[in-house]
Amino acid sequence: SNAMPARVPSILALLFAASLLASGDLRAQDATGNESSVPQASEVNSTADDTKVQSLVDQLSSPDFAIRNAARAALLKVDESGLTKLVEAANTADGETKNQLSVILEKLQSRLFDAPLKTFLANPTRDNAAALPGWTTINELVRSEESALFVFREMLEAEPSLFTTLRFNHSGLPPVLLERSSITERVMKSDSQPFPVASVLALMMIGTEPGVRLTGATQSNINAALSHPQFQRLVKNGIHASAISAITENWLLREHSVLDAELLFAMKLESPAGIELSRRVLKARRTGPVECWALLTLGKLNDTESLALIEASLNSKGRFWPMRGQSVQNAMPGSNFAEDYHVQASDVALAVALHLRGESLETIRLNAAGSEETLFQPHSLGFNSEDERTKAINAYRSKHPALKAQ
C-alpha cells in the first residue's frame, strides 16, 4: 500500500497549474465554424472533430441564448477524445467563455473520471477498469488479471492527479510528472514513511505514454526507485512481483538515452531489459562509464549473441576507474596498484569477452575480482601500463578473429 493520501484533484487546478508550469506549451488551434450552425451532440461525441469542438466553444460567446445553450449541451456530451481541444480552449479563453468552460470541464470530469473511479474502487472488475485511463496499458503489460487489477487500483488511489491529467490534459503531463516524481523521490528517502511503490509504478507507466517528453529531473526522480532496496525486493520477491517487473521493464525499454542506474538495476535483478539497453548503448558508440556498465551487463546476463558488439569496444579508450582527474590512491587508499593503473572500456570489453567465451582471465594475466552484482569488480579490470594492455588485447585477437557485428 502507498503512504501518500489519495484525493481526486480538480481538473481545473490541474490544467491551469500545468499551463503555468509548461510556460504556454498548450497552443489553441485556429477557430473555425459558423456560429449559426451548431454541431449536434452526437456528431461531436462520435467524431471528436477538433473543428466541431472549437465551433461549439466559439458559440459559447454568441449573443443568441439558444445558440449558447445548445453549444453548452453539446459540449457536455463530448467524450474523452474531444477533451484535448476543450482543455486547450479553456487555457486560452477569457471572460464568460472561460467560466462556462470551467463548469463544463468539472462536469465532464465527474462523468468521465470521478464516477468511473468511484465505481471501480468499490468493485475492481475488468469491466469497471476499462472505463478508466491507463487500464489498456496495464492490461497489456501484466499477464495476471488479478495482479493487474490490484496494482491498477493501488496506482489510482496513490496518484489520481496523474490519471486525471492523462485523461483530460495529455499535453500537460510533463510538468505534473515532474512535480509528482519530485514528491515521490522525497518520500523514498524518508525513513518514516512506507516505500511509495504504487506512486513509482504510476509514474513509470504514465511516463512511457506516447508523446510524453520527460525532463532529466523527472527520469532521475523515478529512477531513484531502481537503486532502493525495498523496490528491488518487491521486484524480485513481492506478492505482485510479476506485475511490478512488467511495468518496470516497460519503463526501462522506453525510447531514451540509457542511464547508468538502469544498467546497474538490470544487472543486479538480472532483468532481460538489460540486454536491449546495453545493445543500444554499444550500437550508439556511447563512451564513458555507461559503455562499461553496458559491457558488464551483457556479461552478467551471459549474452553471447552480443560478442561482436562487445569486441568492438576493444578499441575504446573511455575511462572507467578511477575517474578522470582522480588518482588511484585517492580512489582506493592503501591499494597496491601502480601510479598509472586505470581501467578503461577496452579492459572491460576484454574481460567480458573472455567470460562469455568461457576462458580464464588469467590467460592474459588479468587477475579480476568477481562480483555477484556486476560480474567483476570494476576497479580490478585495469592494467598498470599501456604496453600490458596492448599485449593482452593482441593476444586475445590473435586467438579470436574479429566477429562481424549484427
Side-chain angles (χ1 to χ4, degrees), residues 311-317 346 393 397:
E311 291 177 347
S313 287
L314 290 172
N315 297 317
S316 181
K317 306 293 183 184
S346 62
I393 292 175
R397 282 177 166 156

Side-chain angles (χ1 to χ4, degrees), residues 95-249:
E96 183 56 28
T97 299
K98 192 177 195 76
N99 292 336
Q100 291 189 70
L101 286 174
S102 297
V103 173
I104 289 168
L105 283 169
E106 289 284 7
K107 290 182 177 180
L108 287 175
Q109 175 177 330
S110 177
R111 176 168 65 85
L112 297 175
F113 186 78
D114 296 354
L117 175 63
K118 183 178 180 180
T119 299
F120 173 72
L121 294 180
N123 186 20
T125 65
R126 180 188 184 91
D127 288 342
N128 290 338
L132 290 163
W135 170 250
T136 299
T137 300
I138 195 168
N139 188 45
E140 290 174 352
L141 292 174
V142 181
R143 293 181 180 178
S144 165
E145 182 174 303
E146 180 183 359
S147 286
L149 288 168
F150 177 86
V151 172
F152 188 51
R153 179 176 180 173
E154 292 286 301
M155 292 193 298
L156 282 163
E157 289 187 313
E159 295 294 335
S161 65
L162 285 178
F163 288 93
T164 307
T165 308
L166 177 60
R167 170 147 290 178
F168 286 87
N169 190 16
H170 193 279
S171 60
L173 276 170
V176 179
L177 284 164
L178 175 58
E179 178 189 16
R180 293 305 306 159
S181 68
S182 297
I183 293 171
T184 301
E185 196 261 349
R186 289 197 294 272
V187 174
M188 281 189 256
K189 291 180 177 178
S190 171
D191 293 329
S192 61
Q193 299 184 65
F195 185 83
V197 60
S199 289
V200 170
L201 295 177
L203 287 161
M204 285 181 169
M205 189 185 83
I206 296 177
T208 60
E209 277 289 307
V212 174
R213 298 183 64 180
L214 301 176
T215 66
T218 301
Q219 295 185 77
S220 179
N221 291 337
I222 298 173
N223 276 340
L226 300 179
S227 59
H228 198 287
Q230 179 64 13
F231 186 73
Q232 293 178 357
R233 283 195 291 271
L234 289 169
V235 170
K236 200 167 187 178
N237 301 311
I239 296 175
H240 297 283
S242 60
I244 297 172
S245 296
I247 295 169
T248 305
E249 292 270 315

Side-chain angles (χ1 to χ4, degrees), residues 296-312:
L296 287 168
T297 300
L298 293 174
K300 177 73 184 299
L301 298 178
N302 290 309
D303 182 30
T304 56
E305 293 182 11
S306 293
L307 255 175
L309 273 175
I310 293 165
E311 291 177 347

Side-chain angles (χ1 to χ4, degrees), residues 54-105:
Q54 184 62 58
S55 177
L56 289 170
V57 170
D58 292 341
Q59 289 158 27
L60 292 176
S61 58
S62 169
D64 188 320
F65 172 78
I67 290 176
R68 293 198 308 273
N69 198 46
R72 189 181 306 111
L75 286 172
L76 284 170
K77 294 183 179 180
V78 166
D79 67 9
E80 62 183 270
S81 58
L83 289 174
T84 298
K85 190 63 185 177
L86 270 183
V87 171
E88 289 180 354
N91 273 305
T92 57
D94 54 23
E96 183 56 28
T97 299
K98 192 177 195 76
N99 292 336
Q100 291 189 70
L101 286 174
S102 297
V103 173
I104 289 168
L105 283 169

